[in-house]
Amino acid sequence: MIIRRDDDDEIHAKLVARRGCMLITPMTLRIRRLGCSAAIVVGMALAVSLRAETGHDLWLRYVLAADSSQRESYRRAVTAIVVPQGSPTGDVIAAELVRGLRGLLGVDVPRAPRPRSPGAVIVGTPSTSPLVAALGWTEALEPLGVEGYVIRSATVGGLAATVIASTGESGALYGAFHFLRLIQTRQPLETLDIAERPKLERRLLNHWDNLDGTIERGYAGRSLWWPDRDDQRVHDYARASASVGINGAVINSVNASSRSLSTPFIKRAAGIAAVLRPYRIRVYLAANFAAPKVLGALTTDDPLDPAVARWWKGKADEIYRLIPDFGGFVVKANSEGQPGPQDYGRTHADGANALADAVAPHGGIVMWRAFVYDERVDPDRVKRAYAEFVPLDGRFRDNVFAQVKSGPLDFQPREPFHPLFGAMPKTPLMAELQITQEYMGQANHLVYLAPMWKEFLDADTYAKGPGSLVSKVIDGSLDGRALRPVDGQRRTGIAGVANTGRDVNWSGHDFAQANWYAFGRLAWDPGLSAGAIADEWIQMTWGYAPDVVATIRSIMLDSREAYVHYTMPLGLHHVIGGDHYAPMPENTDPRRADWSATYYHRADTSGIGYDRTRRGSGAVDQYWSPLREQWSDPATTPDALLLWFHRLPWDYRMKSGRTLWDELVASYSRGADEAKALETRWTTLSGKVDQARYQAVLAKLHRQREDAAAWRDKCLRYFQTFSGGPLPMK
Ligand code: GCW
């Protein structure tokens, strides 16, 4: 019998009154068998500390259903777990269901070979489970693919049951997590008829983890797996990621060390892959383009040199011997000092294809990043990737993705979508989002990123007329790219730069967990709304009281716009220091103009902003009509992107009737006020959520409020030296 963090005294007392108690702490989830009397004592002693949550359990806290009639109805609906024995994925499904149901229902639901009474939860595929096969659901299951599933209330052998079925074990796993989520979000289980399939095929986390354990742009402690790993932690990472459908992890930084492809590191990668495999998460590696020279002692890395091609093939063969389900390579080439094919006068396509040919026989892919901004290509940094990549459309092998950041600059709090979306119809584009909050307050500011990602996914590129959404470019439907004969799928994908580390709460800020969660949910279905995702996450992570949910929801949904207001009003971008945290509008980086705030805001006494119309850099012409026309005219450009596309005088009259200067003042001030309001709203939750996390979040919100005021004050003082306008503060 299990006693877990449990607000329900009645159940708690019943459990303690039985013999052979076990005690499970949410922090370690290590189960200790205790004599019953010892359990009571220890249970009492721990009662207080157990309430103090660490955030370690993420959205998989599995809190007991407090309403007794609801709890009883769940218990009637779930009396046994029937998952076929003998497969690692089957075992993790069963373990998760046992664990989840123990928490949610307060009882141990047994795993059984077949249903004996009403209420069995039967999970499997037609080939692993004779029970599922006998249902004859093949026609319904096949179109859902191996990752899709149905969850249905059914009658099996004359007994009421819930069936979670898929043609693949991955689908069974995702279906099991979905089923748990139904209870976690307190949904009824009586008449289920759910069918799901992911909209995108590759749903990846990109870990910018260095082999020494540090993480580039990581704000939550050291790497989960380099240079060594804690298997329990990696299991928990895999549980959380699989629960939202993530099916791949690039386990080293795109600023890749060649060593990551050396035999000892491949062996370590194989160890990580072994832990992740039952959760259906494949390992991918970031490759350094100079690896043939560095590791293979070749005299060149020229991708058209046969010796180089042979080296990559040999390396791929070696990797697949150790990691048979290896996903492939991501490559950052000729970008920010990384080596690449252009060092040999070759194109990005030549480079990508050399690696693609090496992994193709094994079913691997190459994700070739389009984060390139060679100064010689164009004076305007945001134009360079398009200029280099569009001419290569159609020249990449079938198993190559171009991996493109959401915006053309670099994960700013608001950017127009990257113009490559909609401009490379023959190439699958893998969207790269950033979950870690490099430019978004790092682990100190509460910024829920789903609204920003939705803005990107729902943006209309107009590539094929109205309705040509970025999400349709990514899911391949816009360009009607061929379906693969093997599985009738298109090559599609999305990657998120991860925010996980060894901090107890994984992400540094308790609310940064929501961004990991939301990324996975949107990767599964870009059509979900930011609010619906927030609601799920809040209930699973914080609680169910309507005022708690409503307050946290409003904080989350307002947070991104607040952050934009105090850091990049009216599209004024990159006014941040080299640490990518604090305001530094005066920054003129001696190393590169395009790392400087002054390069972007261009403020002087005549005005402010970057002219990207035809009078200026002409970046607007990288977008399809009617966007290029709309964004060429300040009157038809949304205020939110005004200074991204235009350079305007300080007395420019805004749609609001205010001058540009007054509007800037209003936005910075509003942002600072909104940050303050986030803190104030949070304080209404005192005593309504657990104290430890309440305090931790409060401290961060306090800092956010101070930082927001500092952004306002520093930026306005600086820009006022050019505008000469009035300041709101003393
Ligand atoms: O956002 C910038 C970051 C770099 C990063 C680079 C990239 C991994 O500041 O830290 O390097 O982008 O995406 O390659």
Side-chain angles (χ1 to χ4, degrees):
M1 198 42 66
I2 301 297
I3 300 170
R4 201 173 178 283
R5 182 188 170 276
D6 174 358
D7 296 329
D8 189 291
D9 293 336
E10 179 206 357
I11 294 236
H12 190 90
K14 269 193 206 151
L15 293 175
V16 173
R18 297 196 194 148
R19 231 176 51 79
C21 305
M22 290 168 93
L23 197 117
I24 189 164
T25 70
M27 226 161 73
T28 61
L29 288 161
R30 239 180 268 126
I31 299 167
R32 296 177 212 134
R33 288 195 173 276
L34 298 164
C36 193
S37 53
I40 294 168
V41 176
V42 177
M44 285 166 65
L46 287 179
V48 176
S49 67
L50 287 180
R51 283 176 203 284
E53 295 197 39
T54 61
H56 179 83
D57 291 341
L58 296 160
W59 49 90
L60 301 176
R61 290 160 64 245
Y62 298 132
V63 171
L64 191 74
D67 175 274
S68 58
S69 71
Q70 190 179 47
R71 199 168 54 233
E72 284 313 317
S73 103
Y74 283 149
R75 286 184 184 169
R76 275 195 305 277
V78 185
T79 58
I81 298 164
V82 182
V83 185
Q85 301 277 356
S87 94
T89 299
D91 289 344
V92 302
I93 292 172
E96 196 67 29
L97 286 170
V98 167
R99 171 193 203 134
L101 295 169
R102 179 187 291 149
L104 294 162
L105 276 52
V107 290
D108 274 333
V109 178
R111 184 173 180 182
R114 70 191 63 82
R116 288 185 200 285
S117 54
V121 177
I122 300 166
V123 192
T125 72
S127 45
T128 61
S129 160
L131 290 167
V132 171
L135 290 167
W137 289 356
T138 321
E139 251 176 60
L141 293 179
E142 269 179 356
L144 303 176
V146 292
E147 293 192 311
Y149 53 84
V150 300
I151 307 178
R152 289 186 185 169
S153 304
T155 305
V156 177
L159 300 168
T162 304
V163 180
I164 303 171
S166 171
T167 53
E169 286 209 289
S170 306
L173 175 69
Y174 299 141
F177 274 114
H178 188 145
F179 178 73
L180 286 168
R181 190 163 66 235
L182 292 174
I183 308 179
Q184 287 177 283
T185 52
R186 308 309 192 224
Q187 310 284 315
L189 299 181
E190 278 73 40
T191 48
L192 298 175
D193 187 8
I194 294 168
E196 285 272 335
R197 83 166 293 167
K199 302 280 190 302
L200 301 173
E201 183 198 14
R202 311 253 172 179
R203 304 175 300 278
L204 267 58
L205 290 178
N206 282 195
H207 293 269
W208 287 355
D209 293 18
N210 300 311
L211 305 183
D212 66 1
T214 56
I215 301 182
E216 180 151 353
R217 313 303 177 185
Y219 311 105
R222 293 173 66 81
S223 166
L224 296 173
W225 34 66
W226 305 117
D228 50 32
R229 65 174 198 271
D230 164 355
D231 271 355
Q232 186 54 51
R233 190 93 166 141
V234 182
H235 271 288
D236 286 339
Y237 159 88
R239 290 175 49 237
S241 289
S243 78
V244 287
I246 286 163
N247 65 6
V250 181
I251 57 175
N252 64 315
S253 172
V254 290
N255 284 330
S257 157
S258 292
R259 279 192 309 144
S260 64
L261 298 184
S262 66
T263 304
F265 279 94
I266 296 172
K267 286 187 176 151
R268 287 200 221 172
I272 298 166
V275 182
L276 302 183
R277 186 167 295 118
Y279 298 92
R280 302 283 157 161
I281 298 172
R282 289 175 179 213
V283 155
Y284 296 72
L285 288 169
N288 185 301
F289 199 75
K293 262 164 84 175
V294 177
L295 294 179
L298 300 193
T299 52
T300 177
D301 296 308
D302 182 349
L304 300 190
D305 186 306
V308 172
R310 260 198 312 280
W311 188 88
W312 283 111
K313 275 189 183 299
K315 189 45 76 177
D317 294 346
E318 179 190 353
I319 295 173
Y320 278 95
R321 269 196 300 279
L322 290 167
I323 313 174
D325 55 352
F326 178 66
F329 295 122
V330 63
V331 188
K332 172 175 177 178
N334 295 119
S335 163
E336 300 190 326
Q338 294 294 335
Q342 294 177 340
D343 305 347
Y344 300 92
R346 312 298 185 191
T347 67
H348 284 291
D350 296 330
N353 292 345
L355 275 72
D357 288 343
V359 293
H362 308 279
I365 61 161
V366 169
M367 296 159 287
W368 196 265
R369 292 178 89 230
F371 181 63
V372 294
Y373 55 100
D374 184 338
E375 285 159 290
R376 290 161 304 184
V377 172
D378 193 279
D380 183 359
R381 173 167 158 182
V382 306
K383 289 176 65 186
R384 300 172 190 159
Y386 182 103
E388 286 199 44
F389 272 72
V390 170
L392 300 177
D393 192 27
R395 293 178 50 194
F396 291 100
R397 297 279 192 269
D398 279 355
N399 58 335
V400 175
F401 284 87
Q403 181 163 317
V404 185
K405 288 188 182 183
S406 41
L409 180 48
D410 187 14
F411 298 134
Q412 299 302 291
R414 168 166 276 128
E415 298 193 30
F417 67 86
H418 200 303
L420 279 175
F421 293 102
M424 295 187 70
K426 297 186 188 133
T427 311
L429 300 189
M430 182 172 286
E432 181 177 310
L433 308 178
Q434 196 181 43
I435 308 170
T436 191
Q437 291 168 234
E438 174 179 355
Y439 291 97
M440 307 275 299
Q442 300 176 3
N444 290 328
H445 292 209
L446 188 165
V447 188
Y448 176 50
L449 299 176
M452 179 176 80
W453 295 332
K454 284 297 287 182
E455 190 173 287
F456 162 68
L457 293 164
D458 294 345
D460 199 338
T461 67
Y462 291 94
K464 298 215 162 140
S468 306
L469 307 189
V470 166
S471 58
K472 291 189 182 171
V473 174
I474 299 170
D475 73 18
S477 59
L478 184 70
D479 300 309
R481 270 201 315 275
L483 301 176
R484 285 198 305 259
V486 235
D487 52 6
Q489 301 282 311
R490 291 192 172 97
R491 225 175 251 298
T492 57
I494 191 164
V497 181
N499 65 354
T500 49
R502 287 202 200 191
D503 277 6
V504 171
N505 73 359
W506 298 91
S507 305
H509 194 307
D510 285 298
F511 276 80
Q513 298 175 354
N515 294 329
W516 178 9
Y517 182 83
F519 169 76
R521 297 290 287 132
L522 285 174
W524 182 272
D525 183 359
L528 293 173
S529 77
I533 296 170
D535 285 345
E536 291 173 3
W537 180 79
I538 296 164
Q539 294 188 57
M540 296 190 288
T541 312
W542 292 98
Y544 299 90
D547 60 332
V548 169
V549 176
T551 304
I552 296 181
R553 182 181 213 271
S554 79
I555 289 174
M556 288 171 73
L557 293 181
D558 291 350
S559 59
R560 185 274 185 138
E561 216 55 55
Y563 189 82
V564 168
H565 286 146
Y566 63 78
T567 61
M568 66 167 290
L570 309 178
L572 190 63
H573 43 293
H574 217 297
V575 180
I576 203 160
D579 58 358
H580 295 178
Y581 183 79
M584 201 175 170
E586 75 283 14
N587 187 23
T588 305
D589 195 306
R591 293 166 300 171
R592 281 187 74 136
D594 55 13
W595 289 349
S596 307
T598 49
Y599 166 94
Y600 295 102
H601 65 64
R602 300 179 174 228
D604 65 20
T605 51
S606 68
I608 185 169
Y610 201 126
D611 185 355
R612 295 195 164 104
T613 68
R614 285 186 192 164
R615 283 181 309 277
S617 78
V620 281
D621 283 332
Q622 293 183 341
Y623 292 93
W624 294 96
S625 284
L627 295 177
R628 56 167 69 153
E629 291 80 15
Q630 280 167 16
W631 292 346
S632 288
D633 179 354
T636 50
T637 304
D639 281 0
L641 292 175
L642 194 64
L643 301 178
W644 184 283
F645 286 112
H646 304 281
R647 179 181 167 72
L648 297 167
W650 294 105
D651 59 0
Y652 174 80
R653 201 49 70 183
M654 301 287 298
K655 296 183 190 82
S656 64
R658 294 190 186 106
T659 64
L660 172 59
W661 169 251
D662 288 342
E663 194 76 34
L664 268 188
V665 170
S667 177
Y668 277 117
S669 307
R670 179 173 171 193
D673 291 347
E674 285 168 337
K676 188 171 164 189
L678 297 182
E679 183 188 1
T680 312
R681 274 187 263 172
W682 182 254
T683 58
T684 66
L685 298 175
S686 176
K688 296 181 181 170
V689 297
D690 69 284
Q691 191 61 10
R693 287 187 304 162
Y694 170 78
Q695 288 296 349
V697 171
L698 182 63
K700 299 231 172 193
L701 285 169
H702 191 74
R703 164 120 192 228
Q704 182 168 0
R705 163 193 173 165
E706 289 176 351
D707 286 347
W711 270 92
R712 176 197 60 201
D713 296 352
K714 175 147 190 197
C715 292
L716 286 178
R717 284 209 174 91
Y718 173 81
F719 291 126
Q720 197 264 350
T721 62
F722 305 110
S723 78
L727 285 172
M729 63 277 181
K730 287 166 220 106

